[in-house]
Amino acid sequence: MRRFWVIPYLTYILAFGLIPLILTFYFVGFNPSSIKGLITDFPPGTFDLALYNTLLFATVTALISTLLALVLAIRVDSLPMRWQVPMSLLILVPYTIPFISSSMIWYTLFDPMYGPFYYLFRLFHIPMVNMTTIPGLSIWAVIIVGIWSSTSFAYLMIIGGLKSISKELREVSQVDGASLSQYYGGVALPYIFKIVLTAFLVIFVLQLGNFDIPYVLTEGGPGYSSTTLPLLIFDLLYFIGNFSGGEAAAALLAALATLPAAALLYVMRSGGLYVRLPVIKIPDKVYDSLLWLVTVIILLFLLFPVYWMVMLAFRPSTYDFVTPPILYPIAFTVRYFTSAITSSIPYISTNLIVGIFVAVISAVLAGTASYIMSKQNIYWLLLITIYLYSLPATSFIFPVYILFENMGLLNTWWALILAEPIFTVTLSAWLLFNIYRD
């Protein structure tokens, strides 16, 4: 195929990615009042706290979710083939739930009187407090939900790396008498260290711009104790009306995301990144038992909120406000589910129509471009693709908003259909590039 077929893809990411990103910095310019608004429009110390919360949220979420995913990936990879798919499906269940829905689920879980945490407080004799309402603890509630929603995505990347290891390499290690702990610690993990690091960096950058979880769970409160930069941007735009300050905050967020995104590009571009790790020989039965123990705990963490969501959706609301909370199905009703569906038909139709158009655009643009990129080694375009996917939406949303406002497309399907693919087409091109290369 000719390079001509890359032009539609390149045109799109330029129009809705690179150019809006550059314009975001241009709109901020060198006007000191834009930066000043980040500090003067809020109580003293708010900006510093938001910056700290953003980095804390992104770092801890990326680190712990990657480690949990690594344990799960090792557990699944060491299972017989017939059990690997069912286990993977269980692990990926949280990945199917949107950030907003997951935040609402966890909001009920954190309730010390009517949520399941009631039993943990009683068991460990902890004061019954709601983490989302306590300064100093609210940001950690946000981090817990971030870890829960990111682990499945990290697992998807790491298990793919483990599956890329040749069978011959594993067989050679077995012939040499290596135990499971020696194989994964001394062979597999060093081999896929590049992929593990990639998973960490991708999640870190994505969480820098995560708006849904902190907004739905705490709204940045109490006070500004769990406010992150995306929430600060939202407040500047919609409550204070300081658009220049909002653009300055978005530019700062883009600059913050650029550093780890550049590191991600370096990792992806490097031919190899082998790291030697300390290896401890553990008997296979002990190692296998430890893996199962940790895996069961992680699966409880991942799946119980989903179980709790389904149970709340299909039981009468009178059982939702009972102390101690009822953890098992006691009554069944479809009234709330039916009501939710019938009242949300316009939103469901919007999701379906926009989703179909976005999927088609992503498949057409990314399908052809990624094939040519992989076969003709167009790495510079791959690097731009990964970089745009890594940036938070607030890095380029303002120029797109202004464009749609001037075109009269605000609050229309066309605005969503044209803007949404910047997130899906870049991810699709990245994934398909690797598939075509293989």
Tab-separated table of all heavy atoms in Angstrom, residues 403-426:
chain	number	residue	atom	x	y	z
A	403	LEU	N	-13.648	25.851	18.292
A	403	LEU	CA	-13.948	25.512	16.900
A	403	LEU	C	-15.404	25.104	16.735
A	403	LEU	O	-16.107	25.604	15.836
A	403	LEU	CB	-13.023	24.387	16.427
A	403	LEU	CG	-13.339	23.771	15.058
A	403	LEU	CD1	-13.138	24.800	13.947
A	403	LEU	CD2	-12.485	22.531	14.813
A	404	PHE	N	-15.872	24.219	17.601
A	404	PHE	CA	-17.254	23.748	17.495
A	404	PHE	C	-18.243	24.864	17.813
A	404	PHE	O	-19.343	24.911	17.240
A	404	PHE	CB	-17.479	22.567	18.430
A	404	PHE	CG	-16.804	21.300	17.964
A	404	PHE	CD1	-16.487	20.290	18.867
A	404	PHE	CD2	-16.488	21.111	16.637
A	404	PHE	CE1	-15.864	19.128	18.447
A	404	PHE	CE2	-15.871	19.951	16.198
A	404	PHE	CZ	-15.559	18.951	17.107
A	405	GLU	N	-17.873	25.763	18.724
A	405	GLU	CA	-18.749	26.886	19.041
A	405	GLU	C	-18.919	27.789	17.821
A	405	GLU	O	-20.034	28.232	17.500
A	405	GLU	CB	-18.181	27.672	20.212
A	405	GLU	CG	-19.081	28.826	20.675
A	405	GLU	CD	-18.468	29.590	21.831
A	405	GLU	OE1	-17.229	29.706	21.872
A	405	GLU	OE2	-19.234	30.068	22.679
A	406	ASN	N	-17.815	28.063	17.117
A	406	ASN	CA	-17.887	28.913	15.921
A	406	ASN	C	-18.629	28.235	14.777
A	406	ASN	O	-19.225	28.900	13.931
A	406	ASN	CB	-16.479	29.293	15.466
A	406	ASN	CG	-15.779	30.209	16.461
A	406	ASN	OD1	-16.430	30.958	17.179
A	406	ASN	ND2	-14.460	30.136	16.517
A	407	MET	N	-18.591	26.906	14.749
A	407	MET	CA	-19.275	26.154	13.697
A	407	MET	C	-20.714	25.839	14.056
A	407	MET	O	-21.454	25.276	13.232
A	407	MET	CB	-18.516	24.849	13.406
A	407	MET	CG	-17.119	25.052	12.843
A	407	MET	SD	-16.247	23.468	12.632
A	407	MET	CE	-17.285	22.647	11.425
A	408	GLY	N	-21.131	26.171	15.285
A	408	GLY	CA	-22.488	25.881	15.720
A	408	GLY	C	-22.745	24.406	15.975
A	408	GLY	O	-23.888	23.943	15.837
A	409	LEU	N	-21.714	23.679	16.350
A	409	LEU	CA	-21.848	22.235	16.550
A	409	LEU	C	-21.928	21.831	18.020
A	409	LEU	O	-22.025	20.638	18.317
A	409	LEU	CB	-20.661	21.502	15.904
A	409	LEU	CG	-20.564	21.571	14.382
A	409	LEU	CD1	-19.331	20.827	13.904
A	409	LEU	CD2	-21.820	20.987	13.749
A	410	LEU	N	-21.870	22.806	18.934
A	410	LEU	CA	-21.939	22.455	20.354
A	410	LEU	C	-23.274	21.778	20.672
A	410	LEU	O	-24.320	22.121	20.123
A	410	LEU	CB	-21.767	23.699	21.222
A	410	LEU	CG	-20.371	24.329	21.267
A	410	LEU	CD1	-20.368	25.524	22.210
A	410	LEU	CD2	-19.326	23.305	21.696
A	411	ASN	N	-23.223	20.796	21.578
A	411	ASN	CA	-24.412	20.049	22.001
A	411	ASN	C	-25.061	19.303	20.831
A	411	ASN	O	-26.293	19.174	20.774
A	411	ASN	CB	-25.430	20.972	22.663
A	411	ASN	CG	-24.889	21.636	23.915
A	411	ASN	OD1	-24.196	20.999	24.715
A	411	ASN	ND2	-25.169	22.909	24.086
A	412	THR	N	-24.249	18.828	19.903
A	412	THR	CA	-24.757	18.020	18.794
A	412	THR	C	-23.978	16.711	18.732
A	412	THR	O	-22.880	16.592	19.282
A	412	THR	CB	-24.605	18.742	17.450
A	412	THR	OG1	-23.207	18.899	17.149
A	412	THR	CG2	-25.278	20.109	17.490
A	413	TRP	N	-24.564	15.747	18.034
A	413	TRP	CA	-23.868	14.476	17.836
A	413	TRP	C	-22.584	14.667	17.045
A	413	TRP	O	-21.595	13.979	17.280
A	413	TRP	CB	-24.780	13.494	17.104
A	413	TRP	CG	-25.869	12.922	17.968
A	413	TRP	CD1	-25.958	13.030	19.324
A	413	TRP	CD2	-27.005	12.178	17.539
A	413	TRP	NE1	-27.087	12.388	19.771
A	413	TRP	CE2	-27.752	11.848	18.705
A	413	TRP	CE3	-27.468	11.750	16.309
A	413	TRP	CZ2	-28.928	11.108	18.650
A	413	TRP	CZ3	-28.644	11.011	16.252
A	413	TRP	CH2	-29.362	10.703	17.406
A	414	TRP	N	-22.607	15.596	16.106
A	414	TRP	CA	-21.447	15.767	15.239
A	414	TRP	C	-20.218	16.206	16.029
A	414	TRP	O	-19.094	15.822	15.700
A	414	TRP	CB	-21.756	16.771	14.134
A	414	TRP	CG	-22.647	16.213	13.068
A	414	TRP	CD1	-23.919	16.573	12.789
A	414	TRP	CD2	-22.324	15.142	12.173
A	414	TRP	NE1	-24.426	15.799	11.764
A	414	TRP	CE2	-23.460	14.913	11.367
A	414	TRP	CE3	-21.185	14.346	11.969
A	414	TRP	CZ2	-23.496	13.938	10.380
A	414	TRP	CZ3	-21.218	13.377	10.978
A	414	TRP	CH2	-22.357	13.179	10.208
A	415	ALA	N	-20.419	17.006	17.061
A	415	ALA	CA	-19.284	17.425	17.890
A	415	ALA	C	-18.633	16.208	18.551
A	415	ALA	O	-17.401	16.078	18.578
A	415	ALA	CB	-19.741	18.429	18.945
A	416	LEU	N	-19.450	15.305	19.065
A	416	LEU	CA	-18.916	14.092	19.703
A	416	LEU	C	-18.285	13.162	18.665
A	416	LEU	O	-17.217	12.589	18.910
A	416	LEU	CB	-20.034	13.368	20.451
A	416	LEU	CG	-20.663	14.115	21.641
A	416	LEU	CD1	-21.851	13.336	22.182
A	416	LEU	CD2	-19.632	14.346	22.729
A	417	ILE	N	-18.945	13.021	17.533
A	417	ILE	CA	-18.439	12.110	16.498
A	417	ILE	C	-17.090	12.575	15.965
A	417	ILE	O	-16.203	11.765	15.680
A	417	ILE	CB	-19.475	11.990	15.352
A	417	ILE	CG1	-20.714	11.234	15.854
A	417	ILE	CG2	-18.877	11.295	14.136
A	417	ILE	CD1	-21.873	11.268	14.886
A	418	LEU	N	-16.919	13.886	15.849
A	418	LEU	CA	-15.658	14.412	15.315
A	418	LEU	C	-14.552	14.438	16.363
A	418	LEU	O	-13.378	14.229	16.032
A	418	LEU	CB	-15.876	15.828	14.769
A	418	LEU	CG	-16.719	15.947	13.506
A	418	LEU	CD1	-17.002	17.403	13.185
A	418	LEU	CD2	-16.015	15.264	12.329
A	419	ALA	N	-14.894	14.687	17.621
A	419	ALA	CA	-13.869	14.872	18.657
A	419	ALA	C	-13.464	13.581	19.343
A	419	ALA	O	-12.283	13.391	19.680
A	419	ALA	CB	-14.355	15.884	19.698
A	420	GLU	N	-14.399	12.679	19.583
A	420	GLU	CA	-14.105	11.467	20.354
A	420	GLU	C	-13.044	10.568	19.727
A	420	GLU	O	-12.241	9.963	20.444
A	420	GLU	CB	-15.393	10.660	20.575
A	420	GLU	CG	-16.325	11.226	21.621
A	420	GLU	CD	-15.778	11.072	23.030
A	420	GLU	OE1	-14.936	10.184	23.251
A	420	GLU	OE2	-16.177	11.856	23.902
A	421	PRO	N	-12.983	10.433	18.401
A	421	PRO	CA	-11.996	9.503	17.827
A	421	PRO	C	-10.546	9.831	18.133
A	421	PRO	O	-9.687	8.962	17.962
A	421	PRO	CB	-12.277	9.592	16.313
A	421	PRO	CG	-13.701	9.980	16.214
A	421	PRO	CD	-13.929	10.904	17.369
A	422	ILE	N	-10.229	11.048	18.592
A	422	ILE	CA	-8.831	11.346	18.898
A	422	ILE	C	-8.308	10.412	19.989
A	422	ILE	O	-7.110	10.127	20.060
A	422	ILE	CB	-8.664	12.825	19.322
A	422	ILE	CG1	-7.184	13.210	19.373
A	422	ILE	CG2	-9.328	13.077	20.661
A	422	ILE	CD1	-6.456	13.072	18.080
A	423	PHE	N	-9.209	9.904	20.845
A	423	PHE	CA	-8.802	8.972	21.893
A	423	PHE	C	-8.791	7.530	21.403
A	423	PHE	O	-7.948	6.736	21.815
A	423	PHE	CB	-9.736	9.095	23.101
A	423	PHE	CG	-9.873	10.494	23.613
A	423	PHE	CD1	-11.034	11.225	23.398
A	423	PHE	CD2	-8.833	11.104	24.290
A	423	PHE	CE1	-11.164	12.522	23.864
A	423	PHE	CE2	-8.946	12.403	24.758
A	423	PHE	CZ	-10.109	13.113	24.546
A	424	THR	N	-9.721	7.183	20.519
A	424	THR	CA	-9.832	5.795	20.076
A	424	THR	C	-8.980	5.498	18.847
A	424	THR	O	-8.453	4.391	18.703
A	424	THR	CB	-11.302	5.453	19.766
A	424	THR	OG1	-11.815	6.388	18.809
A	424	THR	CG2	-12.137	5.532	21.032
A	425	VAL	N	-8.842	6.473	17.946
A	425	VAL	CA	-8.087	6.211	16.722
A	425	VAL	C	-6.598	6.068	17.028
A	425	VAL	O	-5.894	5.253	16.407
A	425	VAL	CB	-8.341	7.323	15.681
A	425	VAL	CG1	-7.616	8.606	16.053
A	425	VAL	CG2	-7.930	6.884	14.295
A	426	THR	N	-6.100	6.849	18.007
A	426	THR	CA	-4.685	6.734	18.365
A	426	THR	C	-4.408	5.409	19.076
A	426	THR	O	-3.392	4.760	18.807
A	426	THR	CB	-4.265	7.914	19.256
A	426	THR	OG1	-5.237	8.091	20.300
A	426	THR	CG2	-4.184	9.190	18.455
